[in-house]
Amino acid sequence: EPLYGWLFADSACHSGDTIAWERLLQPKVEIELALLLGADLPGSEISQAQLLSGIAGVVPALEINDSATADWQLTLLDAVADNLSSGLYVLGDQPVPLAQLQGQTLHGTLFCNGQPLRADVSIVLEDVLTTALWLARKMAALGQPLRAGDVLLTGAQAPIADISRGDQLCFQVPGLGEVGCFFG
C-alpha cells in the first residue's frame, strides 16, 4: 500500500514566508496540490462523491522535505520512522473550488530564483483525487476520519529537487495560482 505521513500544525507555512535555514537539516522540495477539507468525512466507507463534496478548495503547495538520515540514504524503515521526511509545507493562499478545475489540463512550473527548475509539469487531477480517496478511506479504517480544516498533500507532481540557503521558490499553476517562500 502507499506510504503516508502526518502534517503537523507547527510545520505549516504561509505563501511568501521567509523560512529560517537553521530550522532545517538538509531540505529538498516537492511540488504538490493540496486539498483543503471544508466538511468532515464519514468514519465508515467513503464514496468518491462524499470526498468531492467535502473538498472546500485546492491550492498549489510546496512540501519541504527534510531528513536526519545522512545524505538522504533512506531505507523503507527510515522513511516510515522519519514521517516520510516531512519537514514543512507551504500552501497557496487562494483556494480554488474543485468544480472550477474539473476537466482542465493543469500544468505547473517550479521556479528557483526566477529560473525554471521543474518546467511545464503535467498535473493529472484524477490521480490527485484517487490518492485523496485512498487516504480518506485509510484514515477512516484506522478510526481517524478526516475532518473539516484538514489539509491533504496528495503526492509529488515531479521529482524532488535540491534547494540551498538563499533560494526563492515559486510554484505557479495557471488557473490555480501560485505559492512561494524564501530560505533565509
Side-chain angles (χ1 to χ4, degrees), residues 9 39 46 66 78 84 99-100 108 115 117 123 128 152-153 162 178:
I46 299 166
D66 203 10
D78 293 330
L84 300 184
Q100 190 174 316
Q115 300 299 312
L117 185 59
I123 301 168
V128 169
L152 283 72
L153 292 181
D162 292 322
E178 67 181 40

Side-chain angles (χ1 to χ4, degrees), residues 41-42 44-54 129 132-133 136-137:
L41 296 182
S44 57
E45 184 63 25
I46 299 166
S47 70
Q48 184 173 20
Q50 289 170 314
L51 171 67
L52 297 179
S53 68
L129 295 173
L133 183 58
R137 288 176 173 166

Side-chain angles (χ1 to χ4, degrees), residues 76-148:
L76 177 60
L77 290 176
D78 293 330
V80 171
D82 200 25
N83 194 30
L84 300 184
S85 302
S86 180
L88 306 171
Y89 64 99
V90 187
L91 301 178
D93 54 11
Q94 299 293 318
V96 173
L98 183 59
Q100 190 174 316
L101 300 173
Q102 294 289 358
Q104 286 189 38
T105 300
L106 298 175
H107 294 274
T109 299
L110 173 64
F111 294 90
C112 182
N113 303 320
Q115 300 299 312
L117 185 59
R118 299 283 186 261
D120 199 32
V121 174
S122 179
I123 301 168
V124 180
L125 192 56
E126 278 305 310
D127 291 348
V128 169
L129 295 173
T130 297
T131 299
L133 183 58
W134 179 88
L135 181 59
R137 288 176 173 166
K138 180 66 174 180
M139 297 310 296
L142 292 172
Q144 299 178 342
L146 299 173
R147 299 288 178 218

